[in-house]
Tab-separated table of all heavy atoms in Angstrom:
chain	number	residue	atom	x	y	z
A	1	GLU	N	0.834	-1.121	-0.037
A	1	GLU	CA	0.010	-0.020	0.022
A	1	GLU	C	0.929	1.263	0.035
A	1	GLU	O	1.895	1.258	0.681
A	1	GLU	CB	-0.973	0.048	1.282
A	1	GLU	CG	-1.840	-1.176	1.293
A	1	GLU	CD	-2.701	-1.142	2.555
A	1	GLU	OE1	-2.443	-0.471	3.527
A	1	GLU	OE2	-3.715	-1.814	2.583
A	2	GLU	N	0.503	2.282	-0.818
A	2	GLU	CA	1.274	3.527	-0.821
A	2	GLU	C	1.127	4.280	0.459
A	2	GLU	O	0.061	4.411	1.046
A	2	GLU	CB	0.858	4.375	-1.985
A	2	GLU	CG	1.773	5.501	-2.248
A	2	GLU	CD	1.414	6.206	-3.561
A	2	GLU	OE1	0.514	5.970	-4.257
A	2	GLU	OE2	2.181	7.360	-3.817
A	3	ILE	N	2.235	4.763	0.955
A	3	ILE	CA	2.246	5.630	2.209
A	3	ILE	C	2.573	7.130	1.712
A	3	ILE	O	2.764	7.398	0.676
A	3	ILE	CB	3.236	5.055	3.263
A	3	ILE	CG1	4.706	5.097	2.660
A	3	ILE	CG2	2.911	3.660	3.632
A	3	ILE	CD1	5.642	4.682	3.755
A	4	ALA	N	2.590	7.911	2.828
A	4	ALA	CA	2.672	9.331	2.490
A	4	ALA	C	4.054	9.657	1.900
A	4	ALA	O	5.068	8.958	1.864
A	4	ALA	CB	2.562	10.122	3.788
A	5	ASP	N	4.052	10.789	1.323
A	5	ASP	CA	5.228	11.436	0.669
A	5	ASP	C	6.268	11.753	1.642
A	5	ASP	O	6.027	12.548	2.549
A	5	ASP	CB	4.715	12.712	-0.053
A	5	ASP	CG	5.852	13.276	-1.049
A	5	ASP	OD1	7.104	13.025	-0.866
A	5	ASP	OD2	5.468	14.228	-1.837
A	6	PRO	N	7.440	11.132	1.550
A	6	PRO	CA	8.514	11.620	2.283
A	6	PRO	C	9.108	12.932	2.200
A	6	PRO	O	9.814	13.428	3.101
A	6	PRO	CB	9.560	10.365	2.230
A	6	PRO	CG	9.430	9.982	0.639
A	6	PRO	CD	7.954	10.257	0.408
A	7	PHE	N	8.973	13.528	1.046
A	7	PHE	CA	9.644	14.832	0.694
A	7	PHE	C	8.559	15.822	0.220
A	7	PHE	O	8.657	16.385	-0.874
A	7	PHE	CB	10.734	14.633	-0.271
A	7	PHE	CG	11.796	13.742	0.159
A	7	PHE	CD1	11.874	12.426	-0.332
A	7	PHE	CD2	12.614	14.065	1.207
A	7	PHE	CE1	12.893	11.576	-0.002
A	7	PHE	CE2	13.727	13.092	1.526
A	7	PHE	CZ	13.773	11.938	0.982
A	8	PRO	N	7.560	16.162	1.017
A	8	PRO	CA	6.513	17.088	0.554
A	8	PRO	C	7.177	18.521	0.391
A	8	PRO	O	7.982	18.806	1.040
A	8	PRO	CB	5.454	17.122	1.633
A	8	PRO	CG	6.234	16.741	2.951
A	8	PRO	CD	7.253	15.719	2.391
A	9	ARG	N	6.663	19.206	-0.719
A	9	ARG	CA	7.085	20.596	-0.995
A	9	ARG	C	8.497	20.832	-1.420
A	9	ARG	O	8.994	21.748	-1.501
A	9	ARG	CB	6.652	21.428	0.215
A	9	ARG	CG	5.199	21.549	0.535
A	9	ARG	CD	4.924	22.461	1.676
A	9	ARG	NE	5.514	21.883	2.900
A	9	ARG	CZ	5.140	20.992	3.616
A	9	ARG	NH1	3.923	20.442	3.328
A	9	ARG	NH2	5.561	20.522	4.799
A	10	LEU	N	9.192	19.570	-1.667
A	10	LEU	CA	10.540	19.633	-2.202
A	10	LEU	C	10.553	19.135	-3.613
A	10	LEU	O	9.702	18.315	-4.048
A	10	LEU	CB	11.476	18.895	-1.354
A	10	LEU	CG	11.698	19.320	0.003
A	10	LEU	CD1	12.600	18.308	0.838
A	10	LEU	CD2	12.293	20.702	0.064
A	11	THR	N	11.360	19.660	-4.392
A	11	THR	CA	11.619	19.257	-5.883
A	11	THR	C	12.466	18.132	-5.969
A	11	THR	O	13.827	18.365	-5.863
A	11	THR	CB	11.985	20.485	-6.650
A	11	THR	OG1	10.999	21.500	-6.521
A	11	THR	CG2	12.087	19.985	-8.219
A	12	VAL	N	12.101	16.947	-6.265
A	12	VAL	CA	12.857	15.768	-6.289
A	12	VAL	C	13.528	15.562	-7.623
A	12	VAL	O	12.909	15.919	-8.702
A	12	VAL	CB	12.035	14.565	-5.759
A	12	VAL	CG1	12.790	13.324	-5.998
A	12	VAL	CG2	11.614	14.589	-4.406
A	13	GLY	N	14.782	15.184	-7.679
A	13	GLY	CA	15.457	15.032	-8.949
A	13	GLY	C	16.121	13.819	-9.283
A	13	GLY	O	16.966	13.797	-10.109
A	14	SER	N	15.985	12.664	-8.561
A	14	SER	CA	16.656	11.490	-8.786
A	14	SER	C	15.934	10.180	-8.236
A	14	SER	O	14.846	10.247	-7.534
A	14	SER	CB	18.013	11.487	-8.175
A	14	SER	OG	18.053	11.129	-6.820
A	15	HIS	N	16.488	8.990	-8.549
A	15	HIS	CA	16.017	7.830	-8.075
A	15	HIS	C	16.083	7.874	-6.498
A	15	HIS	O	16.925	8.551	-6.032
A	15	HIS	CB	16.787	6.600	-8.551
A	15	HIS	CG	16.921	6.491	-10.096
A	15	HIS	ND1	17.581	5.498	-10.592
A	15	HIS	CD2	16.282	7.131	-11.054
A	15	HIS	CE1	17.422	5.519	-11.946
A	15	HIS	NE2	16.685	6.398	-12.200
A	16	PRO	N	15.213	7.111	-5.754
A	16	PRO	CA	15.390	6.955	-4.407
A	16	PRO	C	16.411	5.783	-3.991
A	16	PRO	O	16.620	4.833	-4.889
A	16	PRO	CB	13.960	6.663	-3.886
A	16	PRO	CG	13.448	5.988	-4.962
A	16	PRO	CD	13.973	6.472	-6.264
A	17	ARG	N	16.953	5.793	-2.802
A	17	ARG	CA	17.523	4.785	-2.261
A	17	ARG	C	16.948	4.514	-0.857
A	17	ARG	O	16.790	5.269	-0.087
A	17	ARG	CB	19.049	4.910	-2.084
A	17	ARG	CG	19.745	4.781	-3.392
A	17	ARG	CD	21.305	4.828	-3.279
A	17	ARG	NE	22.028	4.960	-4.456
A	17	ARG	CZ	22.434	3.814	-5.196
A	17	ARG	NH1	22.045	2.602	-4.768
A	17	ARG	NH2	23.144	3.980	-6.244
A	18	LEU	N	16.724	3.189	-0.522
A	18	LEU	CA	16.098	2.743	0.779
A	18	LEU	C	17.099	1.879	1.569
A	18	LEU	O	17.855	1.169	1.052
A	18	LEU	CB	14.853	1.871	0.535
A	18	LEU	CG	13.745	2.604	-0.114
A	18	LEU	CD1	12.562	1.460	-0.140
A	18	LEU	CD2	13.266	3.903	0.535
A	19	ARG	N	17.111	2.139	2.870
A	19	ARG	CA	17.793	1.281	3.818
A	19	ARG	C	16.937	1.112	5.069
A	19	ARG	O	16.115	2.085	5.387
A	19	ARG	CB	19.166	1.832	4.268
A	19	ARG	CG	20.172	1.913	3.166
A	19	ARG	CD	20.670	0.506	2.759
A	19	ARG	NE	21.719	0.587	1.682
A	19	ARG	CZ	21.608	0.588	0.428
A	19	ARG	NH1	20.366	0.610	-0.096
A	19	ARG	NH2	22.573	0.645	-0.460
A	20	THR	N	17.081	0.049	5.885
A	20	THR	CA	16.358	-0.032	7.126
A	20	THR	C	17.407	-0.293	8.306
A	20	THR	O	18.505	-0.768	8.058
A	20	THR	CB	15.450	-1.098	7.229
A	20	THR	OG1	16.031	-2.241	6.870
A	20	THR	CG2	14.330	-0.907	6.157
A	21	SER	N	17.167	0.238	9.485
A	21	SER	CA	17.995	0.007	10.622
A	21	SER	C	17.624	-1.020	11.486
A	21	SER	O	16.658	-1.722	11.313
A	21	SER	CB	18.026	1.357	11.538
A	21	SER	OG	16.658	1.558	12.016
A	22	ALA	N	18.461	-1.551	12.474
A	22	ALA	CA	18.329	-2.597	13.338
A	22	ALA	C	17.101	-2.405	14.126
A	22	ALA	O	16.466	-3.282	14.726
A	22	ALA	CB	19.582	-2.851	14.256
A	23	ASP	N	16.677	-1.101	14.448
A	23	ASP	CA	15.576	-0.877	15.138
A	23	ASP	C	14.256	-0.436	14.309
A	23	ASP	O	13.363	0.262	14.679
A	23	ASP	CB	15.776	0.276	16.244
A	23	ASP	CG	16.281	1.491	15.654
A	23	ASP	OD1	16.553	1.565	14.444
A	23	ASP	OD2	16.527	2.501	16.463
A	24	SER	N	14.258	-0.940	13.097
A	24	SER	CA	13.160	-0.949	12.211
A	24	SER	C	12.774	0.527	11.659
A	24	SER	O	11.573	0.657	11.239
A	24	SER	CB	11.909	-1.640	12.871
A	24	SER	OG	12.139	-2.954	12.904
A	25	TRP	N	13.630	1.348	11.616
A	25	TRP	CA	13.460	2.680	10.966
A	25	TRP	C	13.785	2.448	9.416
A	25	TRP	O	14.670	1.799	9.092
A	25	TRP	CB	14.336	3.795	11.339
A	25	TRP	CG	13.870	4.286	12.740
A	25	TRP	CD1	14.357	3.965	14.010
A	25	TRP	CD2	12.914	5.288	12.964
A	25	TRP	NE1	13.882	4.748	14.987
A	25	TRP	CE2	12.943	5.615	14.372
A	25	TRP	CE3	12.208	6.150	12.147
A	25	TRP	CZ2	12.055	6.469	14.935
A	25	TRP	CZ3	11.243	7.102	12.847
A	25	TRP	CH2	11.368	7.376	14.135
A	26	LEU	N	12.729	2.977	8.601
A	26	LEU	CA	12.986	3.114	7.117
A	26	LEU	C	13.699	4.330	6.790
A	26	LEU	O	13.269	5.463	7.284
A	26	LEU	CB	11.778	2.900	6.415
A	26	LEU	CG	11.872	3.163	4.880
A	26	LEU	CD1	12.661	2.016	4.264
A	26	LEU	CD2	10.474	3.405	4.259
A	27	TYR	N	14.768	4.446	5.981
A	27	TYR	CA	15.444	5.604	5.611
A	27	TYR	C	15.338	5.645	4.148
A	27	TYR	O	15.527	4.749	3.420
A	27	TYR	CB	16.859	5.638	6.065
A	27	TYR	CG	17.197	5.709	7.471
A	27	TYR	CD1	17.054	4.651	8.357
A	27	TYR	CD2	17.849	6.864	8.013
A	27	TYR	CE1	17.227	4.690	9.660
A	27	TYR	CE2	18.036	7.028	9.430
A	27	TYR	CZ	17.751	5.989	10.173
A	27	TYR	OH	18.113	5.969	11.502
A	28	VAL	N	14.899	6.776	3.623
A	28	VAL	CA	14.924	7.076	2.174
A	28	VAL	C	15.748	8.254	1.908
A	28	VAL	O	15.597	9.275	2.596
A	28	VAL	CB	13.373	7.149	1.859
A	28	VAL	CG1	12.697	8.282	2.383
A	28	VAL	CG2	13.401	7.443	0.043
A	29	ALA	N	16.511	8.249	0.736
A	29	ALA	CA	17.303	9.320	0.227
A	29	ALA	C	17.124	9.563	-1.160
A	29	ALA	O	16.844	8.712	-1.943
A	29	ALA	CB	18.802	9.123	0.597
A	30	THR	N	17.204	10.809	-1.612
A	30	THR	CA	17.082	11.216	-2.933
A	30	THR	C	17.739	12.629	-3.097
A	30	THR	O	18.168	13.226	-2.122
A	30	THR	CB	15.615	11.272	-3.422
A	30	THR	OG1	15.499	11.520	-4.764
A	30	THR	CG2	14.933	12.499	-2.671
A	31	GLU	N	17.936	12.970	-4.400
A	31	GLU	CA	18.443	14.451	-4.702
A	31	GLU	C	17.254	15.251	-4.702
A	31	GLU	O	16.280	15.033	-5.244
A	31	GLU	CB	19.091	14.288	-6.027
A	31	GLU	CG	20.450	13.555	-5.968
A	31	GLU	CD	21.206	13.560	-7.314
A	31	GLU	OE1	20.679	14.469	-8.162
A	31	GLU	OE2	22.122	12.809	-7.530
A	32	VAL	N	17.525	16.475	-3.997
A	32	VAL	CA	16.442	17.516	-4.068
A	32	VAL	C	17.049	18.761	-4.780
A	32	VAL	O	18.239	19.115	-4.507
A	32	VAL	CB	16.101	17.797	-2.756
A	32	VAL	CG1	15.247	19.200	-2.734
A	32	VAL	CG2	15.256	16.703	-2.059
A	33	ARG	N	16.408	19.428	-5.629
A	33	ARG	CA	16.711	20.462	-6.409
A	33	ARG	C	16.443	21.846	-5.642
A	33	ARG	O	15.241	22.039	-5.391
A	33	ARG	CB	16.312	20.565	-7.754
A	33	ARG	CG	16.814	19.463	-8.556
A	33	ARG	CD	16.152	19.377	-9.980
A	33	ARG	NE	16.617	18.155	-10.753
A	33	ARG	CZ	15.880	17.563	-11.702
A	33	ARG	NH1	14.773	18.249	-12.095
A	33	ARG	NH2	16.468	16.601	-12.366
A	34	ALA	N	17.507	22.682	-5.308
A	34	ALA	CA	17.119	23.883	-4.674
A	34	ALA	C	16.790	24.991	-5.603
A	34	ALA	O	17.078	24.839	-6.770
A	34	ALA	CB	18.277	24.311	-3.770
A	35	THR	N	16.227	26.125	-5.040
A	35	THR	CA	15.864	27.260	-5.909
A	35	THR	C	17.063	27.851	-6.590
A	35	THR	O	17.048	28.518	-7.537
A	35	THR	CB	15.152	28.284	-5.088
A	35	THR	OG1	15.911	28.724	-3.936
A	35	THR	CG2	13.741	27.703	-4.636
A	36	SER	N	18.218	27.576	-5.990
A	36	SER	CA	19.583	28.025	-6.546
A	36	SER	C	19.936	27.348	-7.761
A	36	SER	O	20.978	27.800	-8.468
A	36	SER	CB	20.646	27.953	-5.527
A	36	SER	OG	20.833	26.617	-5.321
A	37	GLY	N	19.379	26.234	-8.016
A	37	GLY	CA	19.776	25.420	-9.152
A	37	GLY	C	20.534	24.275	-8.800
A	37	GLY	O	20.906	23.351	-9.496
A	38	GLN	N	21.151	24.289	-7.552
A	38	GLN	CA	22.060	23.277	-7.046
A	38	GLN	C	21.162	22.106	-6.543
A	38	GLN	O	20.024	22.271	-6.238
A	38	GLN	CB	22.946	23.830	-5.872
A	38	GLN	CG	24.032	24.742	-6.415
A	38	GLN	CD	24.863	25.215	-5.194
A	38	GLN	OE1	24.465	25.604	-4.168
A	38	GLN	NE2	26.201	25.095	-5.396
A	39	SER	N	21.786	20.860	-6.457
A	39	SER	CA	21.178	19.722	-5.969
A	39	SER	C	21.848	19.118	-4.698
A	39	SER	O	23.148	19.319	-4.493
A	39	SER	CB	21.174	18.617	-7.045
A	39	SER	OG	20.317	18.903	-8.155
A	40	PHE	N	21.047	18.716	-3.771
A	40	PHE	CA	21.562	18.192	-2.530
A	40	PHE	C	20.892	16.837	-2.246
A	40	PHE	O	19.717	16.628	-2.669
A	40	PHE	CB	21.407	19.158	-1.358
A	40	PHE	CG	21.901	20.487	-1.569
A	40	PHE	CD1	21.270	21.446	-2.242
A	40	PHE	CD2	23.255	20.727	-1.013
A	40	PHE	CE1	21.760	22.678	-2.442
A	40	PHE	CE2	23.759	22.100	-1.266
A	40	PHE	CZ	22.972	23.084	-1.990
A	41	VAL	N	21.685	15.915	-1.470
A	41	VAL	CA	20.998	14.657	-1.061
A	41	VAL	C	20.212	14.980	0.222
A	41	VAL	O	20.676	15.622	1.211
A	41	VAL	CB	22.018	13.615	-0.758
A	41	VAL	CG1	21.393	12.348	-0.208
A	41	VAL	CG2	22.816	13.293	-1.974
A	42	TYR	N	18.865	14.719	0.216
A	42	TYR	CA	18.077	14.794	1.341
A	42	TYR	C	17.754	13.361	1.826
A	42	TYR	O	17.582	12.421	1.110
A	42	TYR	CB	16.804	15.640	1.085
A	42	TYR	CG	16.857	17.124	1.140
A	42	TYR	CD1	17.746	17.845	0.450
A	42	TYR	CD2	16.078	17.706	2.213
A	42	TYR	CE1	17.880	19.173	0.657
A	42	TYR	CE2	16.271	19.017	2.423
A	42	TYR	CZ	17.069	19.786	1.565
A	42	TYR	OH	17.241	21.219	1.882
A	43	MET	N	17.322	13.194	3.085
A	43	MET	CA	16.991	11.997	3.677
A	43	MET	C	15.851	12.134	4.649
A	43	MET	O	15.686	13.257	5.246
A	43	MET	CB	18.187	11.436	4.353
A	43	MET	CG	18.098	9.946	4.734
A	43	MET	SD	19.671	9.258	5.375
A	43	MET	CE	20.721	9.435	3.961
A	44	ASN	N	15.008	11.166	4.739
A	44	ASN	CA	13.953	11.163	5.728
A	44	ASN	C	13.795	9.869	6.325
A	44	ASN	O	14.320	8.897	5.789
A	44	ASN	CB	12.610	11.760	5.172
A	44	ASN	CG	11.731	12.265	6.298
A	44	ASN	OD1	11.877	11.946	7.371
A	44	ASN	ND2	10.495	12.782	5.809
A	45	ARG	N	13.152	9.642	7.473
A	45	ARG	CA	12.991	8.220	8.135
A	45	ARG	C	11.603	8.132	8.600
A	45	ARG	O	10.826	9.043	8.840
A	45	ARG	CB	13.955	8.039	9.174
A	45	ARG	CG	13.899	9.055	10.356
A	45	ARG	CD	15.068	8.907	11.208
A	45	ARG	NE	14.944	9.624	12.559
A	45	ARG	CZ	14.779	9.043	13.708
A	45	ARG	NH1	15.212	7.886	13.973
A	45	ARG	NH2	14.531	9.783	14.797
A	46	TYR	N	11.221	6.795	8.653
A	46	TYR	CA	9.787	6.462	8.790
A	46	TYR	C	9.725	5.325	9.726
A	46	TYR	O	10.448	4.240	9.674
A	46	TYR	CB	9.226	6.051	7.441
A	46	TYR	CG	7.843	5.543	7.435
A	46	TYR	CD1	6.690	6.275	7.283
A	46	TYR	CD2	7.498	4.191	7.636
A	46	TYR	CE1	5.386	5.815	7.313
A	46	TYR	CE2	6.188	3.597	7.530
A	46	TYR	CZ	5.149	4.527	7.390
A	46	TYR	OH	3.896	3.986	7.363
A	47	ARG	N	8.767	5.373	10.718
A	47	ARG	CA	8.404	4.253	11.620
A	47	ARG	C	7.129	4.587	12.277
A	47	ARG	O	6.675	5.717	12.360
A	47	ARG	CB	9.460	4.051	12.681
A	47	ARG	CG	9.414	2.669	13.288
A	47	ARG	CD	10.517	2.344	14.299
A	47	ARG	NE	10.448	3.154	15.443
A	47	ARG	CZ	11.217	3.049	16.571
A	47	ARG	NH1	12.182	2.218	16.408
A	47	ARG	NH2	11.147	3.851	17.557
A	48	ASP	N	6.306	3.507	12.604
A	48	ASP	CA	5.025	3.646	13.263
A	48	ASP	C	4.086	4.500	12.503
A	48	ASP	O	3.344	5.369	13.204
A	48	ASP	CB	5.347	4.190	14.752
A	48	ASP	CG	6.154	3.349	15.465
A	48	ASP	OD1	6.057	2.000	15.290
A	48	ASP	OD2	6.947	3.761	16.321
């Protein structure tokens, strides 16, 4: 089932990568494009 957007209101620019931790947190990373035109890696985590 699809869950909520991990990067709301951000401009995403690349494939995602997922990892999980030993205490069951899901981590997702992607590239985000800033208003300056530069790109940065952003990350978020999910549980419960």
Side-chain angles (χ1 to χ4, degrees):
E1 298 178 341
E2 188 173 358
I3 62 176
D5 185 347
F7 302 105
R9 297 178 296 280
L10 295 175
T11 303
V12 172
S14 82
H15 301 178
R17 287 191 184 271
L18 299 182
R19 295 288 187 270
T20 55
S21 64
D23 53 356
S24 291
W25 285 95
L26 171 71
Y27 292 71
V28 58
T30 190
E31 290 178 13
V32 167
R33 295 171 182 163
T35 55
S36 64
Q38 293 180 306
S39 293
F40 302 86
V41 179
Y42 270 66
M43 198 175 294
N44 203 347
R45 61 192 193 120
Y46 173 94
R47 196 175 73 174
D48 302 326

